[in-house]
Amino acid sequence: QVQLVESGGGLVQAGGSLRLSCAASGNNFSINTMGWYRQAPGQWRHLVAAITIGKSANYADSVKGRFTISRDSAKNTVYLQMNSLKAEDTAVYYCNAKAVVPTTPPGYETDFWGQGSQVTVSS
């Protein structure tokens, strides 16, 4: 229904920057909120940043001031600009889209996930 393809992960030194991209494709869908989650070894997956259709964004406290989420709704693409990276940012980052597809119950959204991108920040 909706496929999310991520790119941009990799290895970076502490203090450096990376930009993650996630492009959605498919047919007969409408995406509402898009966001990024991350999961570090031994940790639960949690929300890093999310952005609405109206481009209202929210961030986890741990990344505020360092990360910026943006989207190009016409291209169904969301980005995460990560600056001043810390070792604690090391994780697998997952793109998320909350969308309406033909099988979505009225008043609900369906979650779709990217494949995950490894971000490793070295000290």
Side-chain angles (χ1 to χ4, degrees):
Q1 296 173 308
V2 179
Q3 294 79 46
L4 303 178
V5 179
E6 304 175 22
S7 61
L11 175 66
V12 66
Q13 292 184 324
S17 299
L18 283 174
R19 191 192 195 206
L20 301 179
S21 299
C22 174
S25 63
N27 51 44
N28 203 10
F29 69 91
S30 179
I31 295 177
N32 296 322
T33 301
M34 300 188 77
W36 293 91
Y37 291 69
R38 71 186 183 189
Q39 185 170 20
Q43 304 294 318
W44 302 110
R45 186 181 302 186
H46 68 269
L47 179 69
V48 176
I51 186 166
T52 67
I53 293 175
K55 299 186 178 181
S56 177
N58 63 280
Y59 301 88
D61 288 341
S62 59
V63 307
K64 286 181 179 178
R66 300 188 297 119
F67 291 10
T68 302
I69 189 169
S70 61
R71 71 186 290 176
D72 184 340
S73 294
K75 298 180 179 179
N76 288 317
T77 301
V78 64
Y79 308 91
L80 186 67
Q81 179 67 46
M82 303 183 291
N83 298 327
S84 301
L85 283 161
K86 306 174 180 179
E88 303 89 88
D89 296 317
T90 295
V92 177
Y93 285 70
Y94 296 90
C95 178
N96 170 263
K98 298 184 183 299
V100 175
V101 297
T103 56
T104 303
Y108 289 82
E109 298 173 312
T110 301
D111 279 304
F112 295 92
W113 295 92
Q115 78 276 16
S117 299
Q118 178 67 50
V119 172
T120 301
V121 183
S122 62
S123 301

